[in-house]
Amino acid sequence: MTDTAHQAVPAALAQTTLASAFSESPTPMVLTEVRGGAHPIVWANAAFLALTGYAWHELEGRNCRMLQGPQTDRETVARISAAVAEGRSFEAELVNYRKDGTSFWNGMTLSPVRDATGAVTHYYSAQADMTGKHSLEVAMTLANIDLERRVSEQTADLRATLEQKTALLHEVDHRVKNNLQVISSLMLLKARRTPEGEARDALNGMAERIGALSTVHRMLYSAGDVTRFDLREFADDFLGDLVAGLDGERTAVSAAIDSVAVSAAMAAPLALMLHELATNAVRHAFPDNRAGRVSITARRLDGALHMLIEDDGVGLAAAIPNPAGFGRSLVEMVVRQLRGTIAWSETTPGTRVEISVPLDAISLREAADTTAEELPQWAK
């Protein structure tokens, strides 16, 4: 027996069982006849009558266009007409109207029914009330619009808060810079009135260190992002001032500093470290007008800042002792604070200092706490 034979439906069954199945189906169904293009309704089941609110005698012989109304999409109607004219199936969702004038979303499938010759004689359509689905879609759309509005408002509030905090940080950095400049000026004034010796040298050294910190806050104040600090910008500024006070024919200073953005909390410790190493090198590595060079490099590698300071001076062992100095101790304290490593070595001639500091080493609170713990008592 062929597949066609399996699909064949006995006439008796078609007239009884199938007709009863369609009539009793909970799915609204309607059948129209192709008759001179009028497509009158020739059959509808009880579910279709319940969906539309019409009695059978009110539908019989009429066209399904009677269910259309003001909100029925004209473009969808035109597509249905084109499908019917071409004798092909079609699916769509459109607004229809019940007898009482209430609207509903109708999900319909339209299928041509052909005779033995292949000519389309009827159109069969199954319907489904999609109003609940569309109501949910509308509700979700409105909810999304409301959510987007709330997110936009919260984003605006957060942006305004951030701008206020940024302005406050700018103001704090500005005031700290000004205060540090005043303190540095007072110390320099005191140094001028202090007899030459260890006391004057100590005052000048502290004034310079405070000046370095003032430069840090000036850069944070002028930067667009007060939470980040560019080490190269500070190095260019600081080394420019340092070189300006040197005899260029006797002491040469070269630097290769990457543009490394570090957290604001690391700015002051790194600035102090660079200040101490550079100034100590140019001041103590070349006694008795000795000529020499100092090179400074800083690179970002594997999440850490690697610094190398080299000079070809007399070396650590031959340097003139300075009982009042604590530059090396300060550098080592800063490196510990930044959870880094430091190695001092003689290079014959000269000194080599290698430092590695993780760039996520410190938070603002840790910076303050650690500095307070490690500073000597006289400096607190």
Side-chain angles (χ1 to χ4, degrees):
M1 187 176 292
T2 65
D3 291 340
T4 303
H6 276 298
Q7 295 172 1
V9 179
L13 182 61
Q15 294 174 0
T16 58
T17 306
L18 292 183
S20 176
F22 281 112
S23 297
E24 299 299 326
S25 172
T27 300
M29 301 178 186
V30 65
L31 187 69
T32 64
E33 184 181 9
V34 177
R35 187 190 305 164
H39 291 274
I41 297 173
V42 295
W43 175 85
N45 67 356
F48 184 84
L49 301 180
L51 174 65
T52 61
Y54 287 98
W56 168 243
H57 71 273
E58 295 174 311
L59 293 175
E60 185 179 10
R62 300 184 66 181
N63 189 284
C64 287
R65 285 191 296 270
M66 64 181 291
L67 301 177
Q68 298 175 13
Q71 296 182 25
T72 303
D73 183 60
R74 296 299 122 191
E75 182 179 346
T76 302
V77 172
R79 291 165 60 200
I80 293 173
S81 299
V84 170
E86 296 169 11
R88 55 183 173 84
S89 299
F90 187 78
E91 294 183 10
E93 291 183 7
L94 76 167
V95 175
N96 278 162
Y97 290 81
R98 299 181 179 90
K99 179 181 177 180
D100 63 6
T102 58
S103 62
F104 66 99
W105 276 94
N106 190 1
M108 56 167 289
T109 60
L110 191 65
S111 302
V113 179
R114 303 178 185 276
D115 61 14
T117 66
V120 177
T121 60
H122 296 80
Y123 264 94
Y124 161 80
S125 179
Q127 323 277 315
D129 188 351
M130 307 299 290
T131 305
K133 170 198 166 188
H134 280 268
S135 297
L136 180 59
E137 290 177 349
V138 170
M140 290 181 65
T141 300
L142 294 176
N144 286 335
I145 292 173
D146 183 60
L147 180 59
E148 290 176 0
R149 177 185 59 78
R150 293 186 181 185
V151 169
S152 178
E153 291 175 353
Q154 292 180 359
T155 301
D157 291 342
L158 289 173
R159 186 178 292 110
T161 301
L162 179 60
E163 290 174 354
Q164 291 175 357
K165 290 184 177 180
T166 301
L168 178 60
L169 285 173
H170 274 298
E171 182 61 22
V172 168
D173 280 319
H174 180 62
R175 294 191 181 189
V176 170
K177 171 186 69 72
N178 289 343
N179 290 338
L180 289 173
Q181 287 177 339
V182 171
I183 295 171
S184 178
S185 298
L186 290 174
M187 296 190 76
L188 289 173
L189 181 61
K190 179 62 178 177
R192 294 192 192 100
R193 298 182 180 182
T194 301
E196 291 186 4
E198 293 180 4
R200 172 183 281 190
D201 291 342
L203 286 170
N204 282 325
M206 293 306 297
E208 290 175 356
R209 294 178 181 109
I210 294 171
L213 295 178
S214 176
T215 300
V216 169
H217 285 279
R218 173 174 59 80
M219 289 183 171
L220 286 172
Y221 175 75
S222 60
D225 184 358
V226 294
T227 65
R228 310 299 292 173
F229 176 79
D230 193 323
L231 184 63
R232 184 170 68 184
E233 290 184 8
F234 171 80
D236 290 344
D237 190 288
F238 162 68
L239 293 175
D241 291 340
L242 180 65
V243 171
L246 299 176
D247 181 353
E249 296 182 357
R250 186 173 69 85
T251 306
V253 179
S254 61
I257 312 291
D258 282 352
S259 182
V260 181
V262 301
S263 67
M266 294 180 67
L270 286 176
L272 278 176
M273 183 173 67
L274 182 59
H275 172 273
E276 291 301 315
L277 291 170
T279 54
N280 284 349
V282 299
R283 289 178 181 172
H284 304 302
F286 313 110
D288 303 321
N289 293 323
R290 176 189 176 106
R293 63 173 184 80
V294 177
S295 68
I296 303 170
T297 61
R299 297 283 185 266
R300 177 176 188 150
L301 181 64
D302 298 330
L305 175 67
H306 296 271
M307 296 184 65
L308 176 63
I309 297 90
E310 295 180 290
D311 67 68
D312 59 355
V314 297
L316 292 172
I320 299 174
N322 181 15
F326 77 112
R328 179 168 177 171
S329 298
L330 179 59
V331 170
E332 291 177 345
M333 180 195 74
V334 169
V335 173
R336 286 197 303 273
Q337 172 189 323
L338 296 177
R339 302 173 187 169
T341 59
I342 183 169
W344 306 79
S345 58
E346 300 274 2
T347 55
T348 314
T351 303
R352 177 186 179 95
V353 186
E354 294 180 83
I355 298 171
S356 178
V357 174
L359 289 173
D360 59 350
I362 194 168
S363 69
L364 188 58
R365 182 162 188 167
E366 288 174 325
D369 293 346
T370 308
T371 303
E373 291 172 0
E374 297 198 3
L375 278 175
Q377 288 297 322
W378 60 264
K380 293 183 180 179

